[in-house]
Amino acid sequence: MNLKDFYAKLSVFVMVVFFMLCCQHQDKPIPPKTDPVFDIHSFAREAIIHHAELDLEVDFITRRIIGVVTYQIEPRGQENIFFDTQGPDVTQVKVDGKQSQFTFGLEDKILGKALIVPIKSTSKSVEISYTTQADAAALQWLTPQQTAGKKHPFLFSQGQAILTRTWIPIQDSPGIRFRYKARVKVPKELMAVMSATNVESKSIDGIYHFEMPQPVPAYLIAIAVGDLQFEQLGPRSGVYAEPSMLAKAVYEFSDTEKMINTAESLYGPYAWDRYDLLVLPPSFPFGGMENPRLTFVTPTVIAGDRSLVSLIAHELAHSWSGNYVTNADWNDFWINEGFTTYFERRIMESLYGKEYTDMLAVLAKKDWVAANRDIGSTNKDTHLHLDLKGRNPDDGMNSIAYEKGAFMLQMLEDTVGRDTFDLFLNKYFSQHAFQSMNSAKLLDYMNHHLPIDSLRIDLKEWIYNPGIPANAENPVSNRFEQVDTAYQKMFKSGKWAIDGVKKWSSHEWVRFISQIQDTAKPEQLKAIDKAYHLTVSGNSEILNIWFEKAIRTGYSKEIMAEIEAFLIQIGRRKYLVPIYRALRGKGQIETARRIYLQAKPNYHSIAVNTIDQLLKE
Ligand code: BES
Ligand code: ZN
């Protein structure tokens, strides 16, 4: 080949490469959505997916997942199909097995960018090859040091609300459901589990096969990989955990099977065959996540005395409210969480009695009142139906959805009677199985199926107005009345060792600590600590509120080492926020920043985003 030929070939080659790069990365605006119900947090519209097949390789060295995802699609007459992506490098797209062009929409800081693939009305499948980024927001890659066993690395994903798009190019909207299958390859010494059918022991070759036969939205796809072992809890329940955590987990969660049976007797058949739990390392940013068939839980619920298992009741309840009937978009997050919180308390009441559940309800009401005050009782973020346009859903989804939602349902129960309300809920779940729900549709359904008019209940006020409606229940707890009496006695007399206190559950302790005024003297907290050793409690709920109070009252100077250890060890956002906020509020932002610097590598991106905000200049 002479030089001229060579240059001619080279220039063709350069042009081809240039064309390929161009057509992959050309940014263009996306046509407006025309769906009657659309989700402002997804680029998906009209043409939808209804089956996904994932082929994944998990690489701990580069901290990437190399994947191919094949979707069965329904074109609905559209020229393009739109997927949500935020991060994954898309290397190839095929439509019906043939290589296809693809483009990306304009990048949005919150939503990522649409992957746009041209299709025909007869197209059946779209195959996308991709590699995730090492910093994919859904994924947390842990070093062996960050696990219980200290020997093997660990990976987990957290999809809710809009993070699945950071590890799978997908239609990431809670209103779009599909079934999925997966083949996952991991290092041989590790086990992979997903929110799908799971095996009970490690495979020989590190290859795992999964199937989710019920249709789910993208935020409920989840994966975890680590040194895991399984143990049965009941005929359809079990726990996965690192070997050193397994026995403790089995003890703690021994009532799981009973919870499933109780939930079924309340609101109808469990739709997902099995209900297993996965105990994560302490960096898990939530208490629990209702991944179908496999709830992900923080190890901080393992208190040793089963005192925090309402969290399991909560995640289990999502199998109905959330996973079975799902909020259509994140503005109606309360339809997932409010129903679930109400349902959680009903499970707890059935299993552990009213006296026990009254304690949970009183604590919840106090939290609701505090959140309402903190956010501002006229702030739109205290509505049940949110307006998250232009915002990251994670920023607007606060505890109002849980408590205002649950208390609205409690108010309805009190007004129409429990039997009527339970019948209503049974029907509600079965009639909307595997469908999505929004506030308007729910309001309409309630108006048709409950005697709301004649009872003059203003549900619109609950859903679309701020603050705490006047007809919200004020729960009372006998046991807390005794705690309050003891509290008065102690603070009046200065004598801290009192009869009966030794028998308190963690909920009574949380109540007691929550009553302590910020103006209490550090010496008083010190005396309480001396009598009851709260600083070294093994119960994370007690530790959390105790550390917050210690900071607010100035006692923290003496126990800073323990507070620091807690913040470094635990990545559960609900615990981090009050402690960092208290430090900030007491003029100790420098201390907070110093601790955070050390703790940050242990936090999931969800917690990092929140704490970054909280401690920024
Ligand atoms: N689905 C939520 C967790 C979640 C909420 C993830 C918002 C992403 C965005 C889960 O069911 C939940 O509510 N967890 C609570 C525990 C519960 C007992 C209140 C938690 O993590 O604290
Ligand atoms: Zn929940």
Side-chain angles (χ1 to χ4, degrees):
M1 180 166 38
N2 63 30
L3 207 62
K4 208 171 131 200
D5 269 349
F6 173 74
Y7 276 117
K9 284 211 166 104
L10 184 70
S11 65
V12 169
F13 177 71
V14 167
M15 271 164 64
V16 168
V17 169
F18 182 70
F19 176 72
M20 278 169 65
L21 287 176
C22 252
C23 87
Q24 283 188 22
H25 294 289
Q26 173 198 348
D27 290 344
K28 62 179 190 193
I30 295 173
K33 294 184 188 187
T34 50
D35 292 44
V37 176
F38 65 77
D39 171 5
I40 49 173
H41 292 109
S42 171
F43 292 112
R45 70 217 54 224
E46 283 128 15
I48 53 156
I49 56 178
H50 49 70
H51 188 275
E53 190 132 359
L54 291 150
D55 193 342
L56 308 174
E57 185 173 344
V58 177
D59 182 1
F60 279 92
I61 310 218
T62 59
R63 298 193 155 185
R64 286 169 203 268
I65 293 177
I66 302 108
V68 179
V69 56
T70 310
Y71 295 109
Q72 301 307 314
I73 63 163
E74 194 184 315
R76 297 188 177 173
Q78 299 300 297
E79 288 172 8
N80 293 296
I81 185 163
F82 297 83
F83 299 93
D84 296 295
T85 71
Q86 193 164 35
D89 252 329
V90 176
T91 49
Q92 179 177 275
V93 174
K94 290 183 180 173
V95 175
D96 293 335
K98 282 198 219 82
Q99 188 153 340
S100 161
Q101 283 191 347
F102 57 95
T103 53
F104 288 100
L106 295 174
E107 172 133 31
D108 178 280
K109 246 183 88 194
I110 295 163
L111 307 179
K113 55 188 180 179
L115 164 65
I116 308 164
V117 180
I119 49 166
K120 299 198 191 74
S121 59
T122 52
S123 298
K124 299 246 167 343
S125 76
V126 176
E127 179 193 298
I128 305 167
S129 303
Y130 68 95
T131 307
T132 59
Q133 303 285 339
D135 63 354
L139 304 178
Q140 191 174 11
W141 301 86
L142 297 169
T143 62
Q145 209 45 44
Q146 292 168 307
T147 67
K150 315 278 180 220
K151 279 211 202 81
H152 298 282
F154 201 104
L155 164 71
F156 69 86
S157 70
Q158 166 59 42
Q160 197 181 7
I162 56 166
L163 298 182
T164 300
R165 64 191 68 180
T166 70
W167 73 284
I168 311 174
I170 202 164
Q171 295 191 322
D172 195 5
S173 172
I176 301 175
R177 309 179 89 93
F178 50 89
R179 296 175 171 82
Y180 79 85
K181 279 190 187 158
R183 175 189 177 274
V184 180
K185 187 167 183 296
V186 303
K188 276 207 274 295
E189 59 288 6
L190 303 181
M191 182 173 183
V193 291
M194 288 191 84
S195 53
T197 53
N198 282 296
V199 290
E200 295 182 0
S201 51
K202 279 180 192 154
S203 72
I204 300 166
D205 52 5
I207 294 175
Y208 294 85
H209 293 273
F210 303 95
E211 185 173 2
M212 171 42 88
Q214 289 89 1
V216 292
Y219 78 93
L220 293 176
I221 297 189
I223 189 169
V225 181
D227 181 20
L228 295 172
Q229 248 177 33
F230 174 81
E231 199 169 320
Q232 200 79 29
L233 289 169
R236 47 180 170 168
S237 56
V239 195
Y240 292 85
E242 286 190 66
S244 68
M245 297 295 291
L246 192 59
K248 286 178 225 159
V250 168
Y251 175 83
E252 204 77 20
F253 305 136
S254 63
D255 277 349
T256 304
E257 192 76 30
K258 272 197 234 159
M259 286 186 176
I260 307 170
N261 296 333
T262 305
E264 284 193 313
S265 69
L266 283 166
Y267 300 125
Y270 179 72
W272 308 88
D273 310 326
R274 284 196 62 85
Y275 181 76
D276 293 316
L277 302 167
L278 168 69
V279 179
L280 287 126
S283 69
F284 188 60
F286 294 108
M289 176 64 211
E290 66 271 25
N291 297 314
R293 286 175 184 246
L294 184 65
T295 281
F296 283 23
V297 296
T298 166
T300 63
V301 286
I302 303 179
D305 58 3
R306 302 174 179 158
S307 56
L308 305 178
V309 295
S310 61
L311 186 134
I312 306 299
H314 178 97
E315 304 311 334
L316 171 67
H318 272 305
S319 307
W320 286 257
S321 43
N323 299 0
Y324 201 39
V325 185
T326 311
N327 50 217
D329 63 33
W330 299 115
N331 287 330
D332 282 321
F333 175 61
W334 79 274
I335 293 179
N336 280 11
E337 297 301 341
F339 277 72
T340 295
T341 304
Y342 171 81
F343 193 166
E344 165 201 335
R345 297 213 179 106
R346 293 296 306 277
I347 296 172
M348 294 307 284
E349 186 182 326
S350 288
L351 278 177
Y352 309 106
K354 180 140 172 37
E355 194 184 58
Y356 186 91
T357 313
D358 283 343
M359 294 197 287
L360 303 183
V362 172
L363 291 175
K365 182 79 191 274
K366 194 165 174 173
D367 282 350
W368 178 22
V369 171
N372 189 66
R373 189 196 51 225
D374 292 347
I375 298 166
S377 60
T378 57
N379 190 314
K380 282 187 166 183
D381 283 352
T382 66
H383 294 195
L384 283 177
H385 177 73
L386 297 168
D387 178 10
L388 298 172
K389 200 171 168 54
R391 295 165 73 187
N392 186 332
D394 200 51
D395 297 338
M397 288 156 47
N398 55 53
S399 62
I400 301 292
Y402 294 73
E403 300 310 339
K404 192 174 186 179
F407 277 94
M408 181 183 108
L409 299 181
Q410 185 60 54
M411 177 277 297
L412 281 171
E413 183 207 309
D414 294 345
T415 325
V416 303
R418 183 168 275 195
D419 292 347
T420 306
F421 196 57
D422 281 354
L423 275 175
F424 164 82
L425 282 179
N426 257 285
K427 211 165 173 184
Y428 167 78
F429 288 126
S430 68
Q431 288 186 343
H432 301 98
F434 301 110
Q435 293 171 31
S436 39
M437 183 54 65
N438 63 27
S439 285
K441 206 161 130 187
L442 177 68
L443 203 53
D444 193 51
Y445 189 79
M446 286 183 160
N447 276 316
H448 275 93
H449 293 88
L450 286 170
I452 285 170
D453 252 1
S454 59
L455 295 168
R456 296 205 208 140
I457 300 171
D458 190 355
L459 290 184
K460 280 195 177 145
E461 185 202 350
W462 279 82
I463 297 172
Y464 299 110
N465 285 358
I468 299 181
N471 57 349
E473 194 200 30
N474 279 314
V476 284
S477 154
N478 295 333
R479 279 163 69 175
F480 282 179
E481 277 167 13
Q482 290 168 33
V483 172
D484 294 353
T485 309
Y487 170 87
Q488 298 292 349
K489 224 163 145 184
M490 286 188 205
F491 273 83
K492 263 200 200 118
S493 68
K495 285 204 192 80
W496 307 100
I498 279 192
D499 280 352
V501 174
K502 287 259 147 57
K503 284 201 220 99
W504 282 358
S505 67
S506 62
H507 311 296
E508 284 150 309
W509 274 112
V510 169
R511 169 68 179 193
F512 175 83
I513 300 165
S514 78
Q515 297 294 78
I516 298 175
Q517 303 295 306
D518 291 357
T519 50
K521 303 215 162 44
E523 306 85 75
Q524 293 176 311
L525 273 83
K526 188 175 180 169
I528 294 168
D529 211 5
K530 200 162 164 232
Y532 302 108
H533 314 293
L534 298 179
T535 297
V536 293
S537 165
N539 187 293
S540 58
E541 290 289 323
I542 294 179
L543 283 180
N544 188 232
I545 187 162
W546 176 246
F547 288 160
E548 184 190 348
K549 280 290 171 199
I551 295 164
R552 292 194 185 282
T553 56
Y555 171 55
S556 56
K557 287 181 201 80
E558 295 193 36
I559 58 167
M560 211 53 211
E562 284 84 357
I563 296 178
E564 199 169 325
F566 184 86
L567 290 173
I568 290 170
Q569 167 76 4
I570 293 169
R572 184 175 175 185
R573 184 170 62 176
K574 179 188 134 186
Y575 291 162
L576 303 179
V577 169
I579 299 181
Y580 280 114
R581 192 183 280 152
L583 285 170
R584 187 186 66 182
K586 279 294 260 189
Q588 298 183 60
I589 196 155
E590 287 317 320
T591 308
R593 285 190 185 135
R594 179 181 56 75
I595 299 172
Y596 179 46
L597 204 63
Q598 209 185 329
K600 195 171 168 173
N602 292 340
Y603 298 168
H604 184 275
S605 75
I606 290 176
V608 167
N609 284 343
T610 306
I611 308 302
D612 274 349
Q613 280 283 94
L614 207 145
L615 299 180
K616 71 172 185 243
E617 301 299 329

